[in-house]
Amino acid sequence: MNRSLVTLADHSREKIEYLIRMAQEFEQHPNRLLLQGRVVATLFFEPSTRTRLSFETAANRLGARVIGFADPKVTSGTKGETLKDTILMVSNYVDIIVMRHYLEGAARYASEIAPVPIINAGDGANQHPSQTMLDLYTIYQTQGTLENLQIYLVGDLKYGRTVHSLLMAMRHFNPTFHFIAPDELAMPETYKTYCRQYNIRYEEHQDFDADVISGADILYMTRVQKERFSDLMEYERVKDRYLLKLDMLSHAKDTMRILHPLPRVNEIEYAIDDDPHAYYFQQARNGLFVRQALICDALGISLEQVKNDKTIIL
Ligand code: CP
C-alpha cells in the first residue's frame, strides 16, 4: 500500500476527521518517542520557513532523526543528478521523505517511484496538502465545525496552491466560497469546474471592503506569489491590490477568524495582529501537531497506537 500524501483530494471525509483527531492527540502531548529509530528526510527544492521547520520539529519531538537539505544548490542536482535518482538514493537512507518542489506533479512522480512514503510539502502552484490539513484543523478549532461555512479566499487565487488544496478538501463539508482576486489572479477555470462537479457554491467579487467580508466565517488571505510570475511588471501591477486593514473588520462577525498560510508580505496590516479576529500565528503553530499526525499516518501508525502510546514526555 502506498501511504504517500500527494493531495488531500484523495482523502475521504472520514480520513480528514481521523487526522484531525490524531492531531488533537499531539496538541495535548507533542513530545513522545513514537518515532524513535526512524529517519525522516526533508528535501526542499524551494524556499520554506514554516513547512520545513514544522515538519522537522514534528519529527524531532517524536524522537526521529532528520536529514535533508533546505537549498538544492548544495546537492548533486547541480552536477546534473535527476529527481528520480535523488529520490531513489535518499530512499536508501530514510523511512519517509517530505519534499517541496517547484514542478507541479513532482510529488506525484516521486510517490510512484519511491519505495518509502512521500509527503508533498508543496509542488509548484499545484497542491500543498499538509498546509490544507492544518488549515482544516484550524478552521475546526475556531468554528467548532467544518460544515456549512462561508469561506472567503483573497489575493492570488491563480498561483496560490494553498487555496487550491483547501477548495478541494472542503468538498465534503458543504462550504460556500467567495473568491476575491484581481482578474489577473482569478481562480483558474479548472478549480471552478471542480466546484461545479462537486456542487460547491462559489461567488466571485472584485471589491474588497467591510461590507463584502461581513458574512465571512473564515477570511483566508494569501500572498501574491512573485516567484510564479514570468512577467514581473504584471506582478508589480497586482501585488498590493488587496490589503486587509483594521477598519475593514468593523462589520465582521465576532467568530470570524483571519487565516493566512504565511509568509505575509503586504496583505494584512500589522495593526490587525492584536485584533481577536487574527489567527494566523496560531494557525502556523497548529502545523506542528498536524504534521506529527501526517508523518505517523504515512508510517502506518494508527490513532489507536497514538492514544495508547506510553512514551509521552511531560
Ligand atoms: N505556508 C508555507 O508554506 O510557508 P513556508 O513557505 O514558509 O513553508
Side-chain angles (χ1 to χ4, degrees):
M1 176 184 176
N2 189 334
R3 303 196 66 91
S4 294
L5 174 61
V6 174
T7 168
L8 280 188
D10 302 340
H11 277 21
S12 65
R13 174 196 178 102
E14 290 71 28
K15 180 72 187 219
I16 289 170
E17 291 170 344
Y18 172 90
L19 289 169
I20 288 175
R21 288 198 297 280
M22 200 190 287
Q24 285 171 330
E25 294 290 323
F26 288 120
E27 183 165 6
Q28 293 291 314
H29 297 293
N31 298 323
R32 306 155 180 251
L33 298 177
L34 263 173
L35 297 186
Q36 201 165 38
R38 311 278 192 132
V39 183
V40 176
T42 54
L43 311 186
F44 276 66
F45 294 86
E46 269 196 335
S48 166
T49 297
R50 274 148 295 278
T51 310
R52 186 175 65 82
L53 294 180
S54 61
F55 265 118
E56 292 186 357
T57 308
N60 279 310
R61 286 189 182 275
L62 293 176
R65 290 170 188 257
V66 179
I67 65 164
F69 54 83
D71 181 353
K73 287 205 284 293
V74 302
T75 73
S76 288
T78 57
K79 303 175 203 163
E81 187 159 51
T82 60
L83 178 62
K84 177 180 181 184
D85 287 3
T86 304
I87 294 296
L88 291 178
M89 279 306 308
V90 176
S91 298
N92 286 327
Y93 309 140
V94 303
D95 300 288
I96 183 169
I97 295 174
V98 178
M99 183 179 95
R100 171 172 288 186
H101 203 280
Y102 48 85
L103 288 178
E104 294 173 25
R108 171 76 64 195
Y109 173 71
S111 75
E112 287 168 358
I113 59 162
V116 299
I118 300 287
I119 295 184
N120 181 6
D123 61 326
N126 187 30
Q127 297 282 309
H128 195 348
S130 69
Q131 176 71 46
T132 297
M133 260 322 297
L134 79 89
D135 292 343
L136 294 171
Y137 186 81
T138 306
I139 293 170
Y140 183 78
Q141 185 176 67
T142 60
Q143 306 298 314
T145 180
L146 292 174
E147 300 279 356
N148 307 321
L149 297 172
Q150 300 284 329
I151 301 181
Y152 287 57
L153 305 177
V154 184
D156 185 349
L157 308 188
K158 180 177 179 185
Y159 297 117
R161 57 193 172 198
T162 66
V163 293
H164 302 158
S165 278
L166 182 61
L167 184 149
M168 295 172 95
M170 282 300 292
R171 75 176 192 275
H172 306 292
F173 304 104
N174 193 37
T176 302
F177 279 105
H178 298 258
F179 302 149
I180 305 180
D183 284 342
E184 298 90 329
L185 299 177
M187 182 62 80
E189 203 50 48
T190 170
Y191 292 103
K192 290 194 234 170
T193 302
Y194 186 90
C195 285
R196 291 190 286 273
Q197 190 180 344
Y198 286 97
N199 295 319
I200 300 171
R201 291 176 300 282
Y202 68 86
E203 294 176 17
E204 294 184 272
H205 310 261
Q206 289 267 327
D207 290 339
F208 182 46
D209 56 34
D211 286 336
V212 170
I213 63 176
S214 62
D217 296 307
I218 294 293
L219 183 58
Y220 194 101
M221 302 297 298
T222 64
R223 173 180 69 90
V224 177
Q225 309 265 304
K226 182 178 181 183
E227 63 275 27
R228 314 256 179 249
F229 281 74
S230 49
D231 177 358
L232 279 184
M233 295 288 283
E234 185 171 317
Y235 169 73
E236 288 299 324
R237 271 198 304 277
V238 296
K239 70 180 171 62
D240 296 324
R241 196 76 69 83
Y242 293 129
L243 169 63
L244 183 63
K245 296 185 176 157
L246 192 57
D247 60 14
M248 291 167 63
L249 303 180
S250 54
H251 306 335
K253 294 183 191 180
D254 288 346
T255 53
M256 185 275 273
R257 290 293 175 269
I258 302 162
L259 305 187
H260 190 313
L262 305 176
R264 154 176 59 176
V265 182
N266 190 30
E267 304 84 47
I268 302 176
E269 204 172 56
Y270 279 87
I272 290 180
D273 294 358
D274 299 322
D275 185 275
H277 294 99
Y279 209 77
Y280 25 93
F281 292 117
Q282 295 96 321
Q283 175 190 6
R285 181 171 183 272
N286 286 338
L288 169 61
F289 317 124
V290 166
R291 287 175 172 128
Q292 289 186 305
L294 293 177
I295 293 172
C296 285
D297 185 62
L299 288 172
I301 295 168
S302 69
L303 175 59
E304 242 2 79
Q305 285 171 280
V306 174
K307 281 184 168 168
N308 294 328
D309 174 35
K310 301 280 187 284
T311 67
I312 291 170
I313 302 165
L314 293 172

